[in-house]
Amino acid sequence: MNLRGLPSVEQLLQTQIAAELIANYGRPLTLQAIRSSLEEVRGRISKTGETTLPDRQNLLAQAESLLHLWTAPTLVPVINASGVILHTNLGRAPLSNAAILSMEAVARGYSNLEFNLETGKRGNRLIHAETLLQRLTGAESALVVNNNAAAILLVLSALANKKRVIVSRSQLVEIGGGFRIPDVMRQSGAKLVEIGTTNRVHLSDFTEALSEPCAMVMHAHHSNFKMIGFTEEPERKEIADLAHKFGVIFADDLGSGSLLATERYGLTHEPMVQESLAAGADLVCFSGDKLLGGPQAGIILGKTDLLAKIKKHPLARALRADKLCLAALTATLLHYLKNDAEYEIPIWRMISATPKQVKARAKHWADELGQGEILANKSTIGGGSLPGESLPTWTLALTVKSAESFSEKLRQEQPPVITRTENGRILLDPRTVLPEQDGALLVNLANVLQSQKHKDNP
Ligand SMILES: *Cc1c(COP(=O)(O)O)cnc(C)c1O
């Protein structure tokens, strides 16, 4: 086959279609796409010996699909109908309206991020969240970094490099994605001193380890697992008092670190930030996007002298929070200060939704779709908080031919819908679906149900 019959790049570029592609995608990328299409065709023809050459329109259509593919965003919103409230793979906490507005305002232009408006001189980015955190928790001082893993790394690097840090074996957790707290800790140069056994650690184990010089006793929340049976761990206050007797810092990695009392929502009590400080923790760290319901961040609270050392460490600069994070975080913290967190922060709205409210939404979905059963089930908190804890919920259950192919189809919709499969049925939990996504969810469900019907009766 004579490939000379193919149009040249120049010829293709001079068409009206190419002009439109250039307008949409820019000249360099369009040029690349046209070259790739031509190359692909040449390669294919010399391999298969095809006898017809594609025409200009064909080639340009191929270029257009390449352009589409290359520029499609990879990070897109999804509808979380899984019933897992803090789904780490789905981006953890959705932000409140105020947090989004605050981020947008700061993103759009300049801000006083590190500029003191009173003096007209250089300011400090830390003050934006610090005052709020002090007021909310009573902490002497605060620092916000990129995430909680960074907070732990920074605390240990600044205060325990080359020094001994005591940790109970019952708290050496893996937080998901293969990341282990002890590995992060070791990275700081601290020497881990593991005490106790997997299920039991006694105050005497701490006393024994404290008899040799060390920098810190580290307490880590179990987060994603539950200890039951023959178990024992001393209370925070007992450990803090003991550490202080030896002149050693007591640091508490709370993981989720709730500012609200979870038992008010029918859950077990998740350790609260205020409680840990009151129990005598010199340092407390927790995530911004778990039960706080804000942006990804790591928050370190505690004694002024310790925070001063931490803030001066070079890693503090490397791990610092950016302006968008600080904007969203301060807006989120304000909800707690004004006591409207339960109504304004999406994850707290989800946690506090009553089974009756959830059931009404599931029922509405079923009515709109004209199918499905309403079944009692459980929503979970997720995100390394409240392991094994769940909230009674109601789901819309769809009986489909193949749950696997149905859920795959739902993931291909715009926006993709993430569901749960149980006993071969597709379950959709209204608790984790934002109310403004109801319309899109129903359209996408109807689409997939319709396509399956066509497949069944061709
Ligand atoms: C989740 C968690 C972390 C890590 O927090 P990120 O904000 O995800 O970095 C650390 N420690 C504990 C106990 C956790 O639960």
Side-chain angles (χ1 to χ4, degrees):
M1 184 75 220
N2 192 351
L3 291 170
R4 282 174 193 223
L6 281 173
S8 70
V9 174
E10 283 315 311
Q11 284 168 332
L12 287 170
L13 274 178
Q14 262 143 42
T15 59
Q16 177 58 31
I17 299 175
E20 279 162 26
L21 293 180
I22 289 169
N24 284 336
Y25 297 98
R27 194 179 169 87
L29 200 63
T30 304
L31 194 59
Q32 257 187 49
I34 289 176
R35 286 204 179 114
S36 292
S37 308
L38 281 168
E39 257 165 51
E40 195 275 327
V41 166
R42 286 199 195 97
R44 194 180 69 213
I45 290 177
S46 54
K47 211 155 67 200
T48 61
E50 272 171 56
T51 52
T52 47
L53 289 175
D55 60 16
R56 289 177 189 202
Q57 268 190 351
N58 256 312
L59 283 159
L60 286 165
Q62 196 175 329
E64 183 168 16
S65 49
L66 279 177
L67 286 165
H68 199 76
L69 188 72
W70 291 346
T71 56
T74 58
L75 181 59
V76 294
V78 305
I79 297 175
N80 174 14
S82 74
V84 182
I85 295 173
L86 290 168
H87 201 306
T88 296
N89 304 143
L90 303 183
R92 290 198 187 150
L95 296 176
S96 74
N97 277 333
I100 293 163
L101 289 176
S102 164
M103 267 173 91
E104 192 190 328
V106 162
R108 217 166 263 290
Y110 299 102
S111 62
N112 64 337
L113 178 65
E114 289 187 3
F115 187 81
N116 184 325
L117 291 171
E118 262 170 53
T119 62
K121 301 217 169 76
R122 188 189 169 139
N124 186 340
R125 76 169 59 211
L126 301 177
I127 59 152
H128 304 293
E130 180 158 15
T131 327
L132 283 170
L133 285 163
Q134 285 165 331
R135 204 181 287 282
L136 275 167
T137 64
E140 286 178 16
S141 184
L143 173 66
V144 182
V145 291
N146 185 53
N147 58 14
N148 193 28
I152 298 163
L153 177 66
L154 177 58
V155 162
L156 290 165
S157 302
L159 304 172
N161 183 250
K162 298 197 177 69
K163 294 189 188 143
R164 294 168 78 242
V165 172
I166 300 170
V167 201
S168 165
R169 289 200 173 83
S170 60
Q171 298 177 355
L172 295 173
V173 292
E174 178 171 313
I175 53 179
F179 287 100
R180 295 175 168 176
I181 294 291
D183 293 340
V184 176
M185 291 174 74
R186 262 181 225 110
Q187 200 63 39
S188 69
K191 291 180 217 160
L192 288 200
V193 178
E194 300 176 13
I195 60 166
T197 58
T198 309
N199 56 329
R200 283 168 80 87
V201 60
H202 308 287
L203 211 54
S204 57
D205 294 318
F206 287 93
T207 313
E208 197 177 311
L210 280 162
S211 67
E212 279 181 58
C214 59
M216 192 182 290
V217 174
M218 183 100 193
H219 191 276
H221 184 37
H222 292 149
S223 294
N224 46 14
F225 77 104
K226 208 169 182 169
M227 297 221 315
I228 49 166
F230 189 53
T231 63
E232 183 178 318
E233 275 181 1
E235 293 292 324
R236 282 184 174 76
K237 175 144 187 12
E238 297 174 280
I239 308 172
D241 288 347
L242 185 67
H244 293 157
K245 229 189 271 173
F246 285 86
V248 169
I249 301 165
F250 176 58
D252 193 8
D253 170 17
L254 283 178
S256 217
S258 187
L259 290 178
L260 294 184
T262 46
E263 66 272 19
R264 275 184 33 206
Y265 306 93
L267 298 162
T268 52
H269 182 71
E270 173 80 6
M272 291 170 73
V273 179
Q274 305 91 313
E275 285 166 0
S276 172
L277 289 165
D282 303 296
L283 291 168
V284 174
C285 47
F286 57 100
S287 290
D289 53 357
K290 292 186 182 172
L291 282 174
L292 193 72
Q296 179 188 304
I299 296 161
I300 309 171
L301 302 179
K303 295 272 182 323
T304 307
D305 57 329
L306 299 179
L307 262 301
K309 280 188 196 158
I310 292 169
K311 287 173 186 176
K312 266 197 280 191
H313 192 275
L315 270 182
R317 172 64 176 77
L319 303 173
R320 75 181 183 187
D322 83 306
K323 60 183 179 182
L324 300 183
C325 162
L326 291 171
L329 182 65
T330 48
T332 305
L333 292 171
L334 267 176
H335 291 308
Y336 290 95
L337 200 63
K338 297 197 286 190
N339 201 31
D340 60 15
E342 185 182 317
Y343 311 102
E344 295 295 335
I345 297 180
I347 64 142
W348 285 107
R349 272 207 303 265
M350 292 173 187
I351 290 172
S352 60
T354 63
K356 200 174 148 199
Q357 290 167 330
V358 180
K359 190 175 189 178
R361 279 179 75 197
K363 176 96 184 22
H364 169 70
W365 292 354
D367 290 347
E368 290 286 315
L369 291 171
Q371 61 180 297
E373 266 177 279
I374 312 300
L375 294 182
N377 209 293
K378 294 194 183 323
S379 316
T380 54
I381 307 298
S385 354
L386 296 162
E389 281 291 302
S390 56
L391 293 161
T393 201
W394 291 91
T395 57
L396 171 69
L398 297 173
T399 304
V400 294
K401 215 167 194 177
S402 153
E404 201 175 323
S405 86
F406 195 90
S407 54
E408 187 187 335
K409 283 249 166 58
L410 277 175
R411 291 198 304 272
Q412 290 161 356
E413 287 291 314
Q414 296 295 335
V417 180
I418 313 301
T419 57
R420 196 147 40 112
T421 299
E422 237 176 69
N423 301 324
R425 271 193 292 211
I426 298 288
L427 299 187
L428 298 118
D429 187 340
R431 190 184 291 279
T432 52
V433 176
L434 301 171
E436 60 268 30
Q437 292 180 318
D438 265 21
L441 174 75
L442 290 171
V443 168
N444 293 354
L445 277 171
N447 278 346
V448 176
L449 286 165
Q450 190 65 25
S451 76
Q452 300 270 309
K453 220 197 254 162
H454 285 311
K455 214 174 71 186
D456 292 347
N457 326 299

